Each structure stands twice: as structure tokens, then as C-alpha cells.
Amino acid sequence: MKTNDKLVIAGKELSSRFFLGTGRYPNPFVQNEAIKASGTEVLTFAIRRVNLEAPDEDAILQHLEGQTFTYLPNTSGAKTAEEAIRIARLAKASGLSNWIKIEVSVNEKTLLPDPIETLKATEVLANEGFVVLPYTSDDPVICKRLEEAGAAAVMPGGAPIGTGLGILNPYNLSLIVEEANVPIIVDAGLGSAQDIVQAMELGVDGVLMNTPVAKAKDPVTMAKAMKHAIEAGRLSYLAGRIPKKRYATASSGYETHMIK
């Protein structure tokens, strides 16, 4: 088993595999306590909620003074590649980060990502030197195309955003992991610690969550539960589970004591 099991994205080493969103919490105090409980090192937020002329006035950043995080602004609300590219450039110009989570959705009912527009935006921004983490569907083909376009990590959804339906297609997710040469971060649709363990046991490198933590009855305790689920799932993946079989095998070596 690996003794130095770190997640590395674009040369940056991360001890935590938990990426946390910063929206929909009851209040800033609960949000910050949940962040502490999660142990996360990467925070994501919609750039449209930031005052670019005075970023220190933003509630999220204001309450995180004295703490060190990697900021992952996202392009939530973009409907085209051009809109996503413009938002990314604004985020970088504000001095927040050169990391960007590409999120392009056209269907307001499902919020499913538009893979064509996402690929276009990834190609442009990767060529401009951004550390691009595109949110996309759980299609192995498009995930590979995004990696080839320069994505530093790829973020397939487990299910539509905010549904809490869990991993709808574990087979596809396992194929994505098998073919990937960059980290795979599951983003969206997860609801419980059980979903997290399943994703991590499939071999993904990390998990991004917002709603399952922020809208839980107790967001701070849920953040702690998700942190432990990520760690347990990762350890289980590294340890290697036993193969599934149709019939029983005695754990006490019963066969060797049988009278022949």
C-alpha cells in the first residue's frame, strides 16, 4: 500500500481529497465550521457571486482570513464556451486563482453539462495556462477528450447536480478511471457517505461536494462524515477488495478438516 498517498493536480500536492463548495449554507459560521470539519484544502464557488472590484468584501473570503486554501472558481451559470471563458478570465484577472472549474449547462431542469461547449472552453483556457478542471457527464469518451485537450483533472458527475441520487453508472465511472492519466474527481449528485465510499472504491482520486453537506440537518457533522468516508473508501481501494463469488468459502479452512 502507498505510504505517501497524496493527490497531485498540476504539480500541487494535496493531503485532502475532499473539494468543498461554499454555497447554500445556513450562515457563514456554519459554513466555516463545516470547512474546518471537512479538512478540505480546495474551495469552489461561483465567480458571479464575487465583487471583482473588491474581492475582500465577498462574504466567503472575508470569513476565511488567516486560512490557506486553493481557490477553485467555477463558471456556474455559463451557457456557452464563450461565457465560461469570459468568467474564467475575470476570475484570473481578479487575482483569485488560475484554477478554474468549467461548468456549462443549458438545461435548467437537469443542469447536465454541455460536453461540446465544455470541451471548447477547456481547449482555449488550457492553452492560456489555466489549471482547468472541467465538470462533465460520466461518458468515458468525452472524459478522455477533455484530458487530451489539456484538463489538469476531469470531474464527471455521479448524477445531476443537487439530486443526491448517488453514482448512477458505476460501470462508466470505472472505465473513466481505468483510462485516465489525470486525476478523476467525482462532482455532483452524491448524497451520503455511502455514495462517497462507492466512488472512492471505484478508484476515483477525489470528490467535490456542496449540497450534501450544506443542506444536511447538521452540515458540520456531515462534513466530518464525508471526510471519513473519503478516507475509508480510499484505503479500501488501495487495500483491494476480495473478488465476488457465487458460492461460499469457509473462512476457517473447513475443507482441510473434512474426513475423506
Side-chain angles (χ1 to χ4, degrees):
M1 187 181 299
K2 297 178 181 179
T3 55
N4 183 27
D5 184 38
K6 304 286 186 179
L7 171 59
V8 179
I9 297 179
K12 188 175 185 62
E13 190 174 275
L14 300 167
S15 297
S16 172
R17 295 173 181 273
F18 194 170
F19 293 33
L20 189 61
T22 54
R24 303 172 66 83
Y25 288 87
N27 55 62
F29 176 78
V30 172
Q31 172 192 276
N32 289 340
E33 290 302 305
I35 290 171
K36 292 176 187 175
S38 73
T40 187
E41 297 170 89
V42 180
L43 295 176
T44 185
F45 47 85
I47 196 64
R48 58 192 165 84
R49 292 202 295 266
V50 176
N51 181 351
L52 294 172
E53 295 182 352
D56 290 342
E57 293 179 359
D58 178 74
I60 295 170
L61 302 178
Q62 184 181 34
H63 292 281
L64 296 174
E65 288 183 355
Q67 303 178 62
T68 302
F69 296 101
T70 295
Y71 292 129
L72 178 61
N74 65 64
T75 64
S76 174
K79 297 184 182 301
T80 65
E82 288 71 22
E83 290 179 9
I85 292 167
R86 183 170 63 252
I87 293 171
R89 289 171 177 166
L90 286 171
K92 187 176 182 180
S94 73
L96 288 172
S97 176
N98 71 332
W99 286 38
I100 190 74
K101 174 190 167 189
I102 299 298
E103 190 172 330
V104 182
S105 301
V106 292
N107 188 318
E108 295 184 0
K109 182 177 181 180
T110 66
L111 293 178
L112 288 172
D114 183 323
I116 306 303
E117 295 299 303
T118 300
L119 182 59
K120 289 179 184 176
T122 298
E123 288 175 332
V124 171
L125 293 172
N127 285 332
E128 292 183 9
F130 281 84
V131 176
V132 184
L133 287 76
Y135 162 60
T136 186
S137 62
D138 61 356
D139 179 345
V141 176
I142 190 64
C143 286
K144 195 64 183 175
R145 290 293 183 89
L146 288 165
E147 176 187 324
E148 293 168 350
V154 178
M155 310 180 85
I161 292 174
T163 60
L165 292 171
I167 306 294
L168 294 181
N169 197 331
Y171 175 76
N172 269 19
L173 196 54
S174 67
L175 289 180
I176 292 167
V177 170
E178 187 176 318
E179 295 295 322
N181 294 310
V182 297
I184 300 298
I185 313 296
V186 171
D187 176 13
L190 306 178
S192 70
Q194 180 183 22
D195 301 332
I196 306 305
V197 172
Q198 182 187 17
M200 295 304 296
E201 286 187 321
L202 288 170
V204 306
D205 298 280
V207 174
L208 189 154
M209 279 174 284
N210 190 163
T211 305
V213 175
K215 301 303 289 182
K217 291 180 180 177
D218 183 343
V220 178
T221 300
M222 184 59 80
K224 189 181 298 181
M226 296 303 194
K227 173 188 174 184
H228 291 313
I230 290 171
E231 293 170 352
R234 180 66 180 177
L235 286 173
S236 177
Y237 169 73
L238 293 176
R241 62 154 295 149
I242 62 170
K244 295 181 179 179
K245 297 191 297 184
R246 184 173 179 84
Y247 299 109
T249 301
S251 59
S252 59
Y254 171 78
E255 296 88 344
T256 62
H257 300 293
M258 291 180 65
I259 298 175
K260 298 180 180 178

